[in-house]
Amino acid sequence: MPTAPPRALIRRLHTALLWRRGYADPPWGIDLLLTDACNLRCSYCPIWGDDAISPSPVAFVDTAAALRFVEDVARFRPMIRLFGGEAFLHPEWPTIVAGARDAGLYCTAVTNGLRIERDAEILVRSGLLAVGVSLDADGAANDAARGAGTTARVRAGLRALEQAKERLGSATPQVEIYTTVHEGNYGRLAEWADELTSWHIDALRLQHLIWYSPSQLGDSLELLREVLPDPAFFRPEEASFARDRVPAIDLVLLADQLRKLRRGRYPFRLVIHPDLSPEEMVRYYGDNEFRRRSQRACTTMESYAFVDPRGRLYPCMTLDMGNVFETPFLELWNAPRFRAFRRLIRREGRLPLCHRCPDQPPEDD
């Protein structure tokens, strides 16, 4: 008489079936965009930069809706990262942080740093675990991309934050510097990391430029149409990220800078997005049709979610998966539309426009 299969085997088969159907466990983290407004005009920004089409009109998240959303997702305890635009332009950001903390969730924020000096004590008392501050480099390189005087204002803000932490006896928020690599700073990356050794920061996150070719965009949309009836981006990715030429970057100099960074010893964590070898980064910036060699599939849409100020849920690209201010998050997270998208990514590994994705796993050794 045949014996029943063990429970562990049944669970594995059930998990595999759900995976094939596009289901995913709740995400470990969620970006909540408080606003798409910003008080800077960084030249390379995909929303407000030289090649972008800015949102019109800008939106600010409804505080009551944001608090209901935080309560809704608290059951699976994701980390909440407040983003923008400039998150601290939202007049009630401390209330939203307090709501996340009251729900038992860790909360971080990303900012351009211009309001840190004014709000240093509020930031410390808020309970934010970490603050990511966007800077391109020190001095002229940063000000050229962001505006005259921005480096000095951010530096003053970070000093004020450090003093407030000392005064209040707090180790948080930790400070991370977010630096986007672009034509104006790529030759000074190692020098920038050396400069930051005296800033008392906790991490430097280098973000390489994100873009794709028009042909990669077209091929991706064709694949998306196979599974989604209306695969239009609600932000103009076509204008912001598609470009028909590579950046004006000296690839030998870039590779040298990346090697120096990898050899460096710093009193903070150095994190590079995407984490590719210097040799692979030469292809990344030198070939407009760049394709990653790794066969590892993208997992962002499995483990992370994004919500815009209007409540629209989306994977990393702004494909509307429904409104979390109107429908419970987990219903949308595993709704047919999101599951169809996941099945496509699991089949393809990544779309053609995803090869420069900063959140994909590093290349295979």
Side-chain angles (χ1 to χ4, degrees):
M1 186 172 179
T3 59
R7 291 181 179 178
L9 175 59
I10 294 175
R11 285 196 297 269
R12 286 197 299 270
L13 291 172
H14 183 253
T15 298
L17 175 62
L18 291 176
W19 189 89
R20 284 196 297 271
R21 294 178 63 187
Y23 285 91
D25 291 334
W28 69 264
I30 300 173
D31 270 12
L32 176 59
L33 281 65
L34 298 189
T35 180
D36 38 32
C38 190
N39 51 353
L40 281 181
R41 295 294 180 267
C42 304
S43 59
Y44 54 84
C45 175
I47 300 176
W48 293 103
D50 293 344
D51 299 323
I53 298 176
S54 59
S56 179
V58 299
F60 287 80
V61 75
D62 178 79
T63 302
L67 293 174
R68 289 194 300 270
F69 168 70
V70 166
E71 291 179 2
D72 177 47
V73 301
R75 73 188 80 171
F76 58 88
R77 303 185 63 77
M79 185 276 294
I80 303 293
R81 185 171 70 162
L82 305 182
F83 219 99
E86 170 49 44
F88 294 150
L89 287 179
H90 194 290
E92 295 187 289
W93 70 262
T95 301
I96 297 171
V97 174
R101 299 297 295 126
D102 289 346
L105 304 181
Y106 290 118
C107 192
T108 67
V110 177
T111 175
N112 60 34
L114 295 188
R115 296 199 166 198
I116 290 180
E117 184 175 17
R118 187 193 72 177
D119 295 338
E121 188 161 320
I122 296 173
L123 281 163
V124 177
R125 293 185 182 278
S126 71
L128 281 170
L129 182 65
V131 174
V133 183
S134 297
L135 278 175
D136 296 298
D138 197 17
N142 182 74
D143 288 4
R146 293 173 174 263
T150 55
T151 306
R153 289 180 64 183
V154 172
R155 190 71 180 101
L158 292 178
R159 292 192 187 99
L161 183 62
E162 184 178 357
Q163 292 166 2
K165 288 163 66 174
E166 291 176 356
R167 187 168 60 252
L168 297 170
S170 177
T172 59
Q174 294 189 352
V175 175
E176 300 185 344
I177 300 297
Y178 286 45
T179 294
T180 298
V181 180
H182 56 77
E183 290 98 327
N185 68 357
Y186 74 92
R188 301 182 61 246
L189 300 177
E191 181 182 341
W192 175 227
D194 290 339
E195 163 66 21
L196 289 173
T197 59
S198 64
W199 283 38
H200 305 290
I201 67 169
D202 298 281
L204 168 61
R205 294 184 180 274
L206 285 181
Q207 167 68 65
H208 286 284
L209 273 179
I210 304 172
W211 85 96
Y212 40 74
S213 71
S215 64
Q216 288 174 325
L217 173 62
D219 292 344
S220 298
L221 288 173
E222 188 173 329
L223 287 168
L224 286 167
R225 289 189 190 100
E226 294 179 11
V227 298
L228 300 177
D230 53 344
F233 304 118
F234 61 75
R235 280 186 177 166
E237 264 85 344
E238 299 92 332
S240 300
F241 291 104
R243 54 194 299 176
D244 57 8
R245 60 177 180 82
V246 297
I249 285 179
D250 182 326
L251 301 179
V252 174
L253 177 56
L254 173 65
D256 179 65
Q257 288 289 299
L258 294 175
R259 292 189 186 98
K260 287 180 178 178
L261 284 170
R262 291 174 181 275
R263 293 195 300 265
R265 294 179 178 272
Y266 307 109
F268 49 77
R269 290 178 292 116
L270 174 64
V271 186
I272 302 176
H273 306 279
D275 186 17
L276 305 178
S277 69
E279 293 73 24
E280 189 72 351
M281 293 311 302
V282 168
R283 286 204 316 115
Y284 182 108
Y285 283 103
D287 181 1
N288 210 40
E289 304 297 329
F290 169 77
R291 297 182 67 88
R292 296 175 73 143
R293 293 193 175 107
S294 173
Q295 297 303 308
R296 295 182 182 179
C298 173
T299 58
T300 300
M301 46 71 190
E302 311 269 359
S303 59
Y304 209 88
F306 302 81
V307 175
D308 89 327
R310 299 160 182 83
R312 291 177 293 199
L313 172 67
Y314 60 101
C316 47
M317 60 191 77
T318 58
L319 294 165
D320 192 345
M321 295 295 172
N323 195 298
V324 299
F325 296 163
E326 300 169 357
T327 305
F329 177 89
L330 289 179
E331 286 187 25
L332 297 177
W333 180 247
N334 278 316
R337 184 173 173 85
F338 218 140
R339 288 191 284 114
F341 175 76
R342 284 198 197 97
R343 288 196 300 271
L344 173 65
I345 301 301
R346 288 167 179 171
R347 186 190 79 196
E348 299 293 324
R350 58 181 61 85
L351 298 179
L353 61 77
C354 298
H355 283 273
R356 290 185 179 88
C357 172
D359 293 319
Q360 290 171 182
E363 297 298 279
D364 297 316
D365 295 329

Short mmCIF file of all heavy atoms in Angstrom, two decimals, residues 9 14 54 97 118 122 143 145 150 155 175 187 196 227 242 275 325 338:
data_model
loop_
_atom_site.label_atom_id
_atom_site.label_comp_id
_atom_site.label_asym_id
_atom_site.label_seq_id
_atom_site.Cartn_x
_atom_site.Cartn_y
_atom_site.Cartn_z
N LEU A 9 7.62 17.50 1.50
CA LEU A 9 7.56 17.40 0.04
C LEU A 9 6.32 18.11 -0.49
O LEU A 9 6.38 18.84 -1.50
CB LEU A 9 7.56 15.94 -0.39
CG LEU A 9 7.40 15.68 -1.89
CD1 LEU A 9 8.51 16.35 -2.68
CD2 LEU A 9 7.34 14.19 -2.17
N HIS A 14 3.91 22.67 -3.34
CA HIS A 14 2.95 23.78 -3.30
C HIS A 14 3.67 25.10 -3.55
O HIS A 14 3.19 25.96 -4.32
CB HIS A 14 2.24 23.80 -1.95
CG HIS A 14 1.18 24.85 -1.85
ND1 HIS A 14 1.34 25.99 -1.09
CD2 HIS A 14 -0.04 24.95 -2.43
CE1 HIS A 14 0.26 26.74 -1.19
NE2 HIS A 14 -0.59 26.13 -2.00
N SER A 54 9.19 66.62 -16.34
CA SER A 54 8.79 66.67 -14.95
C SER A 54 7.30 66.39 -14.80
O SER A 54 6.51 66.68 -15.70
CB SER A 54 9.11 68.04 -14.34
OG SER A 54 8.44 69.06 -15.06
N VAL A 97 6.59 59.13 9.74
CA VAL A 97 7.64 58.34 10.39
C VAL A 97 7.12 57.80 11.73
O VAL A 97 7.31 56.62 12.06
CB VAL A 97 8.91 59.17 10.61
CG1 VAL A 97 9.93 58.38 11.43
CG2 VAL A 97 9.52 59.57 9.27
N ARG A 118 18.34 72.72 9.27
CA ARG A 118 17.17 73.30 9.92
C ARG A 118 16.45 72.30 10.81
O ARG A 118 15.94 72.64 11.89
CB ARG A 118 16.21 73.81 8.85
CG ARG A 118 15.01 74.59 9.38
CD ARG A 118 13.96 74.79 8.30
NE ARG A 118 13.27 73.53 7.99
CZ ARG A 118 12.26 73.44 7.13
NH1 ARG A 118 11.86 74.51 6.46
NH2 ARG A 118 11.68 72.27 6.90
N ILE A 122 14.86 67.47 14.90
CA ILE A 122 13.63 66.74 14.55
C ILE A 122 13.99 65.39 13.94
O ILE A 122 13.34 64.37 14.24
CB ILE A 122 12.80 67.57 13.56
CG1 ILE A 122 12.32 68.87 14.22
CG2 ILE A 122 11.60 66.78 13.06
CD1 ILE A 122 11.63 69.82 13.27
N ASP A 143 28.41 70.95 -7.05
CA ASP A 143 27.67 72.19 -7.33
C ASP A 143 27.37 72.36 -8.80
O ASP A 143 26.35 72.96 -9.17
CB ASP A 143 28.44 73.40 -6.80
CG ASP A 143 28.43 73.48 -5.28
OD1 ASP A 143 27.88 72.55 -4.64
OD2 ASP A 143 28.96 74.45 -4.72
N ALA A 145 26.48 70.04 -10.86
CA ALA A 145 25.31 69.23 -11.19
C ALA A 145 24.08 69.64 -10.41
O ALA A 145 22.96 69.47 -10.89
CB ALA A 145 25.61 67.75 -10.94
N THR A 150 25.37 74.10 -2.85
CA THR A 150 24.67 72.96 -2.26
C THR A 150 25.60 72.10 -1.40
O THR A 150 25.19 71.58 -0.36
CB THR A 150 24.02 72.08 -3.35
OG1 THR A 150 25.00 71.68 -4.29
CG2 THR A 150 22.92 72.84 -4.06
N ARG A 155 26.95 69.95 3.89
CA ARG A 155 28.00 69.71 4.89
C ARG A 155 27.62 70.34 6.23
O ARG A 155 27.79 69.71 7.29
CB ARG A 155 29.33 70.30 4.40
CG ARG A 155 30.53 69.90 5.25
CD ARG A 155 30.86 68.45 5.06
NE ARG A 155 32.00 68.04 5.84
CZ ARG A 155 31.93 67.37 7.00
NH1 ARG A 155 30.75 67.06 7.50
NH2 ARG A 155 33.01 67.00 7.64
N VAL A 175 24.08 57.85 8.81
CA VAL A 175 24.19 58.69 7.61
C VAL A 175 24.85 57.89 6.49
O VAL A 175 25.94 57.33 6.67
CB VAL A 175 25.02 59.96 7.90
CG1 VAL A 175 25.25 60.75 6.61
CG2 VAL A 175 24.32 60.83 8.94
N GLY A 187 35.79 60.67 -12.66
CA GLY A 187 37.24 60.68 -12.53
C GLY A 187 37.73 60.99 -11.13
O GLY A 187 38.95 60.98 -10.88
N LEU A 196 35.54 61.52 2.22
CA LEU A 196 34.47 61.15 3.14
C LEU A 196 34.96 60.44 4.40
O LEU A 196 34.20 60.26 5.35
CB LEU A 196 33.44 60.27 2.42
CG LEU A 196 32.57 60.98 1.37
CD1 LEU A 196 31.73 59.97 0.61
CD2 LEU A 196 31.68 62.03 2.02
N VAL A 227 2.00 40.02 -21.99
CA VAL A 227 1.37 39.61 -20.72
C VAL A 227 0.50 40.70 -20.10
O VAL A 227 -0.33 40.41 -19.25
CB VAL A 227 2.45 39.18 -19.69
CG1 VAL A 227 3.22 37.98 -20.21
CG2 VAL A 227 3.39 40.32 -19.36
N ALA A 242 15.78 56.52 -21.86
CA ALA A 242 16.22 56.04 -23.18
C ALA A 242 17.17 57.03 -23.80
O ALA A 242 16.90 58.23 -23.87
CB ALA A 242 15.02 55.82 -24.09
N ASP A 275 26.90 45.91 -8.55
CA ASP A 275 28.21 45.48 -8.09
C ASP A 275 28.86 44.61 -9.16
O ASP A 275 28.86 43.38 -9.08
CB ASP A 275 28.06 44.72 -6.77
CG ASP A 275 29.40 44.36 -6.17
OD1 ASP A 275 30.41 44.96 -6.57
OD2 ASP A 275 29.44 43.47 -5.29
N PHE A 325 -3.88 52.81 -1.73
CA PHE A 325 -4.74 53.61 -0.86
C PHE A 325 -6.20 53.22 -1.02
O PHE A 325 -7.05 53.65 -0.25
CB PHE A 325 -4.57 55.10 -1.17
CG PHE A 325 -3.18 55.64 -0.89
CD1 PHE A 325 -2.77 56.85 -1.43
CD2 PHE A 325 -2.29 54.94 -0.10
CE1 PHE A 325 -1.51 57.35 -1.17
CE2 PHE A 325 -1.02 55.43 0.16
CZ PHE A 325 -0.62 56.65 -0.39
N PHE A 338 0.20 41.74 -11.40
CA PHE A 338 1.56 41.65 -10.87
C PHE A 338 2.12 40.24 -11.11
O PHE A 338 3.30 40.06 -11.44
CB PHE A 338 1.59 41.99 -9.39
CG PHE A 338 2.80 42.78 -8.96
CD1 PHE A 338 2.69 43.82 -8.05
CD2 PHE A 338 4.06 42.49 -9.47
CE1 PHE A 338 3.79 44.56 -7.66
CE2 PHE A 338 5.18 43.22 -9.07
CZ PHE A 338 5.04 44.25 -8.17
#
